[in-house]
Amino acid sequence: MKLEIPQIIPHIDKKMHLSWQKELANVVTDPKILLEMLNIETKNYLQHFKARQLFPVRVPRPFIKKMQKGNINDPLLKQVMPLFSEFLITEGFIADPLGEHDTAVEGLLHKYKHRVLLIVKSGCAVNCRYCFRRHFPYADNSPNKIRWQQALDYIQQHEEITEVIFSGGDPLMASDEHLAWLVSQIENISHVKRLRLHTRLPVVIPQRITASLVKLLSKTRLKTTMVLHINHSNEIDKALSSSLELLREARIPLFNQSVLLKGINDQAQVLSQLSEKLFDNGIQPYYLHMFDQVQGAAHFDVPEKQAVKIAKEMMMILPGFLMPKLVREIAGEANKTPINLA
Ligand SMILES: *Cc1c(COP(=O)(O)O)cnc(C)c1O
Ligand code: SF4
């Protein structure tokens, strides 16, 4: 019997081929448009939109694609949707919960002995409402080559620094050319062994993993790792998977940190599902951060008692190697503080 071989006409989604810069230029900044794209009636939410004054709305379209239509409680939408409750002043919630506004030199945080965090770029592609850097004085720390040079000089002078972490904002907001320059400068500092990138950009614009970026990260003498920021398994779609595949092929170890967020991922089942999906995509769960008590985002806070309960439940569901460490960052501490689960 002869089999009919169906003719496969490749379906090319042109939008997938927009460059990351084009996606960046095309981010949704109007919450009304955001809700309309999701077929959600906007009139009930107009008062919430005012929270844009506190922290602008920014949502890349590839991230919106992963949200469920018609669902105002979608776990991805909730991360970016402005809410009126951001105006509430909550006791104990401050603008700078991590004591980060005083930097070693402008744009460089040296809180932990052997590693420094370099603010490569101040902005992000997405504005997460719970961001602990929502009040960060980026204007004073807005990086440029002169500031990067100061940071490089500082790293050169501190031989105890073995690892440089590119952070932000989001370091992948910088162009590949700028990153290449920075990496080459750091390579010249012999006591630096490792380079780490803390980024959420590939999650919201998967096209950011360009061939030139992968090449740059794989050919440096520095041992390079990438720590992604994914809070919910729905954030991992095909587009992200294929982008990450490029990094895996280049043997760049991938890790993930999540923030424990009320109403988004504060259930053992949800977080376990995330860990499993991370593993399926070659990403090792790393940290589960207690929410940093930043002013204007108290509605995301999960009390420590509840967090411990969730983590214990996760341990019953997950193999040990898929269990992220539950930590809190305490201003002035020499490392992230593990939460005692006993
Ligand atoms: C989180 C953080 C680091 C990295 O800490 P690890 O425990 O190595 O992941 C470094 N510097 C600062 C300022 C940080 O907040
Ligand atoms: S990507 Fe990270 S730094 Fe940027 S807004 Fe979101 S949480 Fe903040």
Side-chain angles (χ1 to χ4, degrees):
M1 197 172 84
K2 227 176 143 193
L3 283 175
E4 282 281 317
I5 299 172
Q7 212 193 343
I8 297 164
I9 300 162
H11 171 74
I12 296 169
D13 181 357
K14 283 219 178 79
K15 279 188 190 126
M16 265 312 294
H17 296 283
L18 277 187
S19 69
W20 69 273
Q21 290 94 339
K22 287 209 177 113
E23 284 294 357
L24 204 55
N26 209 9
V27 294
V28 173
T29 56
D30 183 343
K32 190 164 176 285
I33 293 176
L34 171 64
L35 293 192
E36 282 167 1
M37 285 173 74
L38 295 168
N39 305 336
I40 295 170
E41 185 76 68
T42 54
K43 68 174 194 300
N44 302 330
Y45 302 102
L46 297 179
Q47 62 147 349
H48 292 299
F49 296 169
K50 291 181 186 139
R52 295 166 78 176
Q53 301 159 19
L54 299 173
F55 189 44
V57 168
R58 272 179 80 79
V59 198
R61 289 168 196 263
F63 193 64
I64 300 173
K65 263 195 194 162
K66 301 187 234 196
M67 297 174 187
Q68 194 190 25
K69 293 260 160 67
N71 182 9
I72 191 72
N73 288 316
D74 180 87
L76 278 51
L77 176 60
K78 275 182 155 180
Q79 296 182 51
V80 294
M81 166 83 184
L83 288 185
F84 195 74
S85 49
E86 292 176 35
F87 285 101
L88 296 177
I89 305 289
T90 316
E91 209 184 322
F93 286 68
I94 56 175
D96 180 21
L98 307 184
E100 278 194 346
H101 293 193
D102 290 320
T103 42
V105 296
E106 273 168 316
L108 190 76
L109 294 166
H110 191 191
K111 293 203 318 199
Y112 304 161
K113 191 169 176 194
H114 299 291
R115 47 221 196 277
V116 282
L117 204 144
L118 178 65
I119 296 171
V120 172
K121 270 283 175 183
S122 47
C124 284
V126 62
N127 279 352
C128 312
R129 307 313 294 180
Y130 48 83
C131 183
F132 67 89
R133 296 209 174 105
R134 56 184 281 159
H135 306 287
F136 194 79
Y138 279 128
D140 307 341
N141 278 281
S142 179
N144 52 43
K145 273 203 180 171
I146 296 168
R147 295 227 164 109
W148 285 349
Q149 194 57 61
Q150 287 174 358
L152 290 163
D153 292 344
Y154 180 95
I155 298 167
Q156 176 80 63
Q157 286 151 16
H158 288 76
E159 288 190 8
E160 72 275 22
I161 297 169
T162 54
E163 180 169 8
V164 176
I165 302 170
F166 284 3
S167 182
D170 201 304
L172 291 184
M173 290 289 277
S175 68
D176 290 347
E177 292 73 29
H178 280 155
L179 291 170
W181 181 84
L182 254 184
V183 171
S184 71
Q185 297 299 304
I186 293 167
E187 274 179 332
N188 290 338
I189 306 174
S190 58
H191 52 264
V192 178
K193 296 189 170 67
R194 288 186 304 276
L195 172 68
R196 199 196 307 178
L197 280 88
H198 279 185
T199 179
R200 185 153 161 79
L201 227 160
V203 182
V204 294
I205 304 179
Q207 297 96 309
R208 180 62 191 93
I209 307 299
T210 58
S212 64
L213 178 71
V214 176
K215 196 170 157 204
L216 162 70
L217 299 181
S218 54
K219 75 166 200 233
T220 165
R221 77 160 176 87
L222 303 162
K223 293 276 181 233
T224 303
T225 58
M226 186 178 280
V227 181
L228 295 153
H229 172 186
I230 303 172
N231 297 318
H232 193 283
S233 59
N234 291 2
E235 291 170 47
I236 307 174
D237 64 353
K238 281 227 177 71
L240 177 60
S241 288
S242 349
S243 279
L244 296 178
E245 182 66 33
L246 302 173
L247 293 167
R248 285 200 303 276
E249 279 169 6
R251 293 167 191 266
I252 293 163
L254 302 174
F255 298 94
N256 183 61
Q257 46 186 351
S258 311
V259 183
L260 184 57
L261 297 166
K262 187 169 164 186
I264 292 169
N265 61 9
D266 57 338
Q267 286 173 39
Q269 279 299 344
V270 171
L271 287 168
S272 302
Q273 204 180 349
L274 170 62
S275 271
E276 302 263 1
K277 201 155 175 188
L278 289 169
F279 184 69
D280 290 344
N281 284 274
I283 309 164
Q284 175 66 43
Y286 180 35
Y287 281 141
L288 175 59
H289 290 272
M290 292 294 295
F291 171 78
D292 297 304
Q293 300 191 314
V294 63
Q295 190 60 255
H299 51 283
F300 288 116
D301 192 38
V302 178
E304 185 165 313
K305 213 173 141 195
Q306 181 66 16
V308 168
K309 187 168 167 272
I310 294 166
K312 282 183 168 169
E313 279 174 44
M314 285 171 76
M315 286 170 75
M316 290 189 281
I317 301 171
L318 289 170
F321 64 92
L322 290 188
M323 184 67 200
K325 277 181 232 135
L326 181 63
V327 293
R328 186 193 285 288
E329 199 165 330
I330 302 174
E333 291 286 309
N335 50 264
K336 311 244 185 274
T337 307
I339 306 287
N340 187 359
L341 299 184

